């Protein structure tokens, strides 16, 4: 285990995880778990950068853990934990803030987008969010970070901060690499297929939850925005159809060409019906396992308690080094 390369990734418990999270993140995490030493985190401190109802946040956090495990992430092989349980994340974040420039944070597209959406809710944490994300990653001397396409820029910042700290204070952090899968790295909204599918979308028809009833999945796919061209073709001019083909291909294992050929001369109706079934069947085992897990809260508690212990032991090593290098006097215990 020790000589394996290290992976860190996380999802926010800011709502119900979507098919986008499943395809763009969780499925890849599962594929990587045998080869790497993986830390998969529930980033609750990131979630509170936008207003959350406390009781929903608590519920969602536990549900995210159950979704990780239901997707096939093995708690025996990986370290599954809740970000706020390991205080080193926020501590390192403070130090990294001191070497982050306002200019580089101003350029973060996620911040620009989120601030455009809700001027009234703009807070300082939303602005420094990417610095906390860099701390998550750098604390574990991470080699690889599997994320969806939307996180590329944040990862670039984490790399820059690692290099900057290493140059200023001597070699301390591993510089992490992004791992972005070629297919499915960006699942789009079913209603506005030029926007990414997001769990915080106000329009529920825009996304499919990882745990959703078959009827609801069928209804949403039926309503998915397509175009008037009427040909099932993988093309940028048909973003809605392209997105459905991507989902279909990812969950069925069929290639894009195979799918195009299967629906040649057939309309969108059949294609959509079949896409819905592929989703229903693809998510069925996840849903069944998830429902079982939620019946056993004690088990979930044991997993996140053990995870926090393991994560803390690794994180504290890096944090101590960092504090020492910047000139903070080590605490004495009497
Ligand atoms: P929100 O949409 O609420 O802003 P999010 O789903 O983007 O949040 P997270 O829950 O933290 O944020 O995302 C977890 C992982 O899922 C990240 O690696 C992210 O890149 C990936 N991801 C999220 N949405 C998509 C998507 N539509 N397609 C592919 N990957 C995605
Ligand atoms: N910012 C990410 C969530 C996230 C993350 C991380 C992902 C927080 N910390 C560390 C990978 C590694 C998001 O919004 N999807």
């Amino acid at each position: 285990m020790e000589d394996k390369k290290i992976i860190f990734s996380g999802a926010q418990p800011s709502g119900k995880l979507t098919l986008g999270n499943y395809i763009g993140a969780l499925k890849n995490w599962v594929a990587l778990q045998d080869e790497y030493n993986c830390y998969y985190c529930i980033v609750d401190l990131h979630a509170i950068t936008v207003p959350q109802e406390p009781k929903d946040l608590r519920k969602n956090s536990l549900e995210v853990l159950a979704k990780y495990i239901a997707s096939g992430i093995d708690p025996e092989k990986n370290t599954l934990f809740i970000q706020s349980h390991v205080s080193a994340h926020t501590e390192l974040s403070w130090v990294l803030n001191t070497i982050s420039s306002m200019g580089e944070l101003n350029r973060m597209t996620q911040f620009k987008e989120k601030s455009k959406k809700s001027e009234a809710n703009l807070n300082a944490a939303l602005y420094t969010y990417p610095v906390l994300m860099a701390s998550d990653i750098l604390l574990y001397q991470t080699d690889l970070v599997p994320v969806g396409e939307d996180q590329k820029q944040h990862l670039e910042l984490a790399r820059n901060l690692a290099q900057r700290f290493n140059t200023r204070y001597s070699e301390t952090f591993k510089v992490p690499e992004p791992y972005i899968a070629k297919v499915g790295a960006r699942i789009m909204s079913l209603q506005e297929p030029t926007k990414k599918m997001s769990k915080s979308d106000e329009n529920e028809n825009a996304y499919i939850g990882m745990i959703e009833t078959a009827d609801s999945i069928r209804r949403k796919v039926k309503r998915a925005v397509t175009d008037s061209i009427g040909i099932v073709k993988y093309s940028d001019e048909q973003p809605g159809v392209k997105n459905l083909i991507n989902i279909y291909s990812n969950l069925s294992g069929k290639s894009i060409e195979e799918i195009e050929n299967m629906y040649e001369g057939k309309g969108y109706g059949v294609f959509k019906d079949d896409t819905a079934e592929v989703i229903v069947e693809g998510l069925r085992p996840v849903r069944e396992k998830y429902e079982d897990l939620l019946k056993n809260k004690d088990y979930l508690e044991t997993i996140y308690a053990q995870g926090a212990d393991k994560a803390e032991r690794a994180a504290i090593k890096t944090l101590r080094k960092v504090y020492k290098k910047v000139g903070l006097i080590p605490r004495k215990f009497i």
Side-chain angles (χ1 to χ4, degrees):
M1 175 114 162
E2 290 318 313
D3 47 13
K4 282 184 178 171
K5 288 198 166 185
I6 296 170
I7 281 196
F8 185 99
S9 200
Q12 302 181 68
S14 51
K16 309 283 170 207
L17 294 191
T18 68
L19 186 62
N21 296 125
Y22 180 65
I23 294 178
L26 302 197
K27 267 187 80 183
N28 298 321
W29 300 0
V30 174
L32 295 162
Q33 66 183 346
D34 288 319
E35 218 183 307
Y36 294 86
N37 177 9
C38 305
Y39 292 86
Y40 293 132
C41 185
I42 294 147
V43 290
D44 53 353
L45 295 170
H46 276 100
I48 59 170
T49 56
V50 297
Q52 304 287 339
E53 186 60 50
K55 71 171 183 341
D56 294 343
L57 180 62
R58 264 191 295 272
K59 190 160 177 274
N60 284 335
S61 298
L62 203 66
E63 288 180 2
V64 170
L65 177 63
K67 283 171 197 171
Y68 284 2
I69 302 171
S71 303
I73 296 167
D74 183 345
E76 300 294 323
K77 288 186 193 152
N78 306 283
T79 308
L80 307 184
F81 73 106
I82 297 175
Q83 185 185 29
S84 61
H85 292 180
V86 181
S87 58
H89 289 245
T90 42
E91 293 179 78
L92 178 60
S93 174
W94 182 258
V95 177
L96 292 183
N97 267 312
T98 68
I99 62 161
S100 303
S101 76
M102 308 264 293
E104 62 193 341
L105 296 183
N106 284 335
R107 284 195 295 275
M108 295 291 129
T109 36
Q110 184 172 304
F111 171 72
K112 284 197 269 186
E113 272 165 26
K114 289 205 173 168
S115 51
K116 242 190 287 164
K117 234 198 284 177
S118 57
E119 283 279 346
N121 290 329
L122 260 192
N123 62 61
L126 197 59
Y127 186 61
T128 56
Y129 171 115
V131 183
L132 179 60
M133 175 162 163
S135 307
D136 298 341
I137 297 166
L138 301 182
L139 266 179
Y140 298 92
Q141 304 295 345
T142 301
D143 293 283
L144 214 58
V145 186
V147 281
E149 181 74 38
D150 61 312
Q151 295 302 312
K152 215 169 154 182
Q153 197 188 25
H154 288 161
L155 219 81
E156 200 46 49
L157 178 79
R159 287 169 55 83
N160 289 339
L161 293 179
Q163 279 156 347
R164 196 172 303 155
F165 191 96
N166 289 348
T167 309
R168 199 170 293 178
Y169 297 104
S170 82
E171 201 60 29
T172 309
F173 295 120
K174 177 86 65 65
V175 181
E177 298 287 336
Y179 175 97
I180 298 170
K182 284 187 191 70
V183 186
R186 200 169 159 80
I187 300 299
M188 309 310 273
S189 152
L190 299 183
Q191 290 300 311
E192 286 174 80
T194 49
K195 260 179 44 185
K196 78 158 190 162
M197 182 182 283
S198 163
K199 60 172 124 67
S200 35
D201 205 307
E202 288 117 40
N203 183 352
E204 283 200 10
N205 287 321
Y207 59 84
I208 290 175
M210 268 179 69
I211 310 297
E212 200 159 315
T213 63
D215 280 352
S216 170
I217 294 174
R218 291 188 187 110
R219 199 172 49 244
K220 287 184 181 179
V221 174
K222 232 185 210 114
R223 286 190 191 160
V225 170
T226 48
D227 51 65
S228 54
I229 298 173
I231 300 168
V232 179
K233 190 161 165 275
Y234 194 77
S235 137
D236 286 337
E237 269 121 71
Q238 297 172 253
V241 173
K242 183 178 173 188
N243 188 37
L244 294 179
I245 298 179
N246 263 330
I247 295 171
Y248 193 136
S249 168
N250 185 285
L251 294 178
S252 68
K254 290 196 167 68
S255 72
I256 286 160
E257 299 73 54
E258 252 176 285
I259 295 168
E260 283 177 335
N261 291 337
M262 278 168 67
Y263 295 96
E264 209 184 315
K266 298 181 184 160
Y268 291 157
V270 194
F271 169 61
K272 279 183 162 181
D273 286 347
D274 289 358
T275 305
E277 289 323 303
V278 166
I279 300 172
V280 169
E281 288 315 313
L283 292 176
R284 187 187 300 283
V286 180
R287 182 165 160 211
E288 287 171 357
K289 183 142 189 232
Y290 172 78
E291 279 160 6
D292 268 356
L293 283 163
L294 273 197
K295 288 184 204 137
N296 195 348
K297 297 248 163 65
D298 290 349
Y299 170 71
L300 295 174
E301 277 171 17
T302 311
I303 299 302
Y304 72 63
Q306 286 171 347
D309 266 5
K310 255 176 87 185
E312 180 146 57
R313 261 177 275 134
I316 203 93
K317 281 194 200 147
T318 305
L319 185 69
R320 287 214 179 106
K321 258 192 227 164
V322 168
Y323 275 7
K324 194 163 163 219
K325 293 206 183 187
V326 300
L328 307 179
I329 294 178
R331 180 173 166 192
K332 290 275 178 245
F333 293 91
I334 42 171

